[in-house]
Structures are given as structure tokens and as C-alpha cells.
Amino acid sequence: MAGTSAVHPGALSMLKIIFSSEDILRTRVAPAADPLWELVLSLHLLQGRGRDPMMTTWRRAVAQGLRADNGAEHYRLLLALNPPRGYFPDFLTPSASKDGIEAGLEAVRGTPRGMLRRDLTMLAAETPLPPSATALVRGEPEVLQNLTDSMARYQSLAVTPYWARVQAAVEADRARRARAMLDGGAEGLLASLRPAMRWGGGVLEVLDYPDSRELHLDGRGLLLVPSFFCSRTPVALVDPTLPPVLVYPVDRLGGLTPGNGAARDGAGQGEALAALLGRTRAAVLQVADEGCTTGEMARRLRISAAAASQHTTVLRNAGLLVSHRDRNTVLHTLTPLGRAVLDA
């Protein structure tokens, strides 16, 4: 809504996404983290009241950065357009952002006036807007330029320094979904989205959604967008005529710190990297390239499961692997740093 990024306590409503057989075949996962979705959803987390310990350091650092950058002046409209709860405008997350932040911002600047009017009218019904929103409704180029300038400025402060961690978490989730697709086809992919969603009978139910509604895909398929900054509630666009998108949260894989994605300081990481020397760990890194469970790793390398677990722990502590537990298995995938080491 473009969705809501937070759930009202006690909500019992749900979003029902209705699939035809053609829609199931056309369902796919976004190829990478979407920069504008991450930007917008991070704004909701920044202003929310959540106490996720993983995000505490990030929230504090970003808040300090905004104050130092005269936040009230530069980000007033951007913050108003992205309240921590409730509706936020569809036009802030155009599909063009899949091609990068610049393509996305260009699409925002080119938003049709009718869409601006509709989105901002819906937002104004729930959230007080600053005077500059009036000029935005009219589609004044200067205001749209200022808005995208503030988006780019916020991105460089709040998202770009952490992008490697964002990419690692999204890539790990994509490996899970790819595995589910290989094992169970498109329906296996949709079933893998539990527990926040429930698949059955051609309907994907998004549980604890802030409002009850149905989204009929009508042969267009569904783009699933894994997101680091998405809270526990998946998000869909309000406008049913837009390409159907469902943004859902990924496991954040540890604390959020700037840099190369490893949640360690430089000295600690250097010590961990020093522990990587040896053929077996290099082989572990290789088999994890496409995603591999601990048991599969042990069988392929002809080592014990305990040894495989020990090696993956060292690699994970060095920031080269991420591990995700799904029931009784643990799937290991490379981080961007791990892939760079393997390529080297």
C-alpha cells in the first residue's frame, strides 16, 4: 500500500492474491535488491517504534546523520510521504527501479499528474502533509526534482553504506527460493513463503495484513521482491492496474554495520579471514556458491557433518557465508565478499 509497512496490533485481516494457472507460471523472484523499495521501507523503519536490536545501531547512526544534514529542511516532504504506519504512495516505488537507483528516480520525476493526485489524496486522508505537497500534486518539475534529490541524499546516508549487507541477505533469500522452485516448481516457491503467507487452492494469503482485500493477477503473474528493510508484514501496491508486486521481508543475517557486509570490526574480520587458510575451507566456499546444506556439503566433500558445520561457522564469522535454517536443514550461500574471495 503502496502498502503499509507496519501491522496494527490485533489485526485479523489478510490480503488474498488470486492466481490462475497462467499466473503461477509467470510468478518470479526479483533478480536483486530493489533500491527504491529498500529506500522507502527503511524510512518506515527509521520512523517506527520497533525495537529490533539488529536495527538499533543503524537507526541511531541514520538519525544522527539526518540531524547533521539539516534533516528538517532537506527531508521534510520525503518523511511526510512515508509515515511509519498506514498508506504510502505507489509512485515512490516504480518498476523502473529494478534497473537501478537512477532509473527509479527518473521514473519518479516522470510520474503522471493523475497518479500524483490520486496517491497524495489518499495519503492526505490519513497523514498531514507539508505545503510543498500542494505543488507536488500539480506535478511541478522543481518539486519533483527536489523530492528525488532528497531521496538520493537519503539513500547515500542511510542505505548505500549498508548495501553489501542488504545484497547478501537478499541473495541468500533468493537461493532459498531457487531451491524451493527446483524442488517443487512455482507452487513450491509460493509454499516456501510461510509462515507470513499461506499458499493453497490458487490463493496466496498474506496473513495479518492491515486491511482485507483481494488482488486478482489476471494473467500478469506476480513479482516477488525480497527486501532487507521490509518489516515482518509483506507489502503490495494499492493500484490494481500496476504490475503486481509483493515485497516481503528476508532474514537480516545479523547486525547492520557499514562496510563490506560482515558484521564485525576490521580487526575481528582479519582474524577470521586468517583462519580460512586450507584446501577444505576453499572447497566449502566453492560448493556454497550455488547454495548448499550442511549435509550436502559433507557428502560432496566426504567430510563429517560436524566438520562441515565447523568450517561453515568460520566462513560465516568472516563474512563470507550466510546460513539460513529451514526446519531441520541449514542452507549456506555466499555473501558478495565470499564470491569476491572465490573469484580471486
Side-chain angles (χ1 to χ4, degrees), residues 159-316:
V159 180
T160 300
Y162 310 92
W163 193 243
R165 172 62 73 185
V166 171
Q167 289 178 304
V170 168
E171 188 58 35
D173 186 87
R174 278 176 45 78
R176 288 181 62 201
R177 307 308 163 195
R179 193 176 190 86
M181 176 75 85
L182 287 172
D183 290 345
E187 296 208 36
L189 166 64
L190 292 166
S192 77
L193 298 171
R194 63 182 188 277
M197 292 172 264
R198 184 168 57 208
W199 168 253
V203 179
L204 181 65
E205 296 177 335
V206 182
L207 308 177
D208 288 333
Y209 206 69
D211 66 317
S212 290
R213 63 186 177 99
E214 292 185 354
L215 172 60
H216 292 262
L217 300 180
D218 297 327
R220 296 171 295 173
L222 180 67
L223 177 64
L224 296 165
V225 181
S227 169
F228 184 94
F229 284 106
C230 185
S231 68
R232 72 182 184 89
T233 307
V235 181
L237 298 170
V238 166
D239 186 351
T241 67
L242 293 173
V245 170
L246 185 67
V247 183
Y248 66 91
V250 301
D251 289 345
R252 293 189 179 127
L253 311 174
L256 191 61
T257 56
N260 59 18
R264 305 172 59 90
D265 60 33
Q269 187 181 51
E271 294 171 0
L273 288 172
L276 298 180
L277 299 176
R279 291 185 177 181
T280 302
R281 285 183 187 142
V284 168
L285 206 60
Q286 288 179 324
V287 299
D289 190 23
E290 299 298 329
C292 191
T293 67
T294 305
E296 290 169 344
M297 190 173 292
R299 289 191 295 272
R300 291 174 64 177
L301 300 181
R302 297 183 181 180
I303 59 178
S304 68
S309 179
Q310 181 183 29
H311 290 310
T312 57
T313 297
V314 173
L315 292 163
R316 185 170 59 250

Side-chain angles (χ1 to χ4, degrees), residues 22 43 45 62 65 120 158 171 180 209 226 234 295-297 317 327 335:
E22 185 177 5
L43 280 163
L45 280 179
V62 173
L120 294 173
E171 188 58 35
Y209 206 69
E296 290 169 344
M297 190 173 292
N317 289 342
R327 297 184 178 180
T335 66

Side-chain angles (χ1 to χ4, degrees), residues 8-136:
H8 297 286
L12 299 175
S13 51
M14 69 172 64
L15 169 67
K16 293 185 177 181
I17 304 177
I18 314 300
F19 290 73
S20 66
S21 57
E22 185 177 5
D23 290 315
I24 294 173
L25 293 175
R26 291 187 174 183
T27 294
R28 66 272 187 215
V29 180
D34 186 296
L36 284 193
W37 274 109
E38 298 296 351
L39 185 160
V40 165
L41 294 174
S42 74
L43 280 163
H44 302 168
L45 280 179
L46 179 67
Q47 301 178 86
R49 297 180 180 179
R51 300 187 180 277
D52 184 344
M54 287 185 180
M55 307 305 292
T56 300
T57 301
W58 171 83
R59 184 181 278 113
R60 185 184 303 117
V62 173
Q64 290 174 348
L66 291 179
R67 286 193 295 270
D69 195 26
N70 197 7
E73 178 67 25
H74 296 309
Y75 305 104
R76 188 188 309 276
L77 179 58
L78 180 60
L79 292 169
L81 295 178
N82 290 281
R85 289 180 179 271
Y87 173 79
F88 60 97
D90 286 342
F91 79 86
L92 292 175
T93 53
S95 60
S97 65
K98 69 181 183 300
D99 297 321
I101 183 70
E102 291 302 329
L105 294 177
E106 182 63 29
V108 171
R109 286 190 289 270
T111 304
R113 290 184 183 180
M115 187 175 188
L116 290 171
R117 186 180 307 110
R118 183 209 63 193
D119 285 6
L120 294 173
T121 299
M122 291 181 64
L123 181 61
E126 299 181 8
T127 304
L129 296 178
S132 55
T134 303
L136 185 60

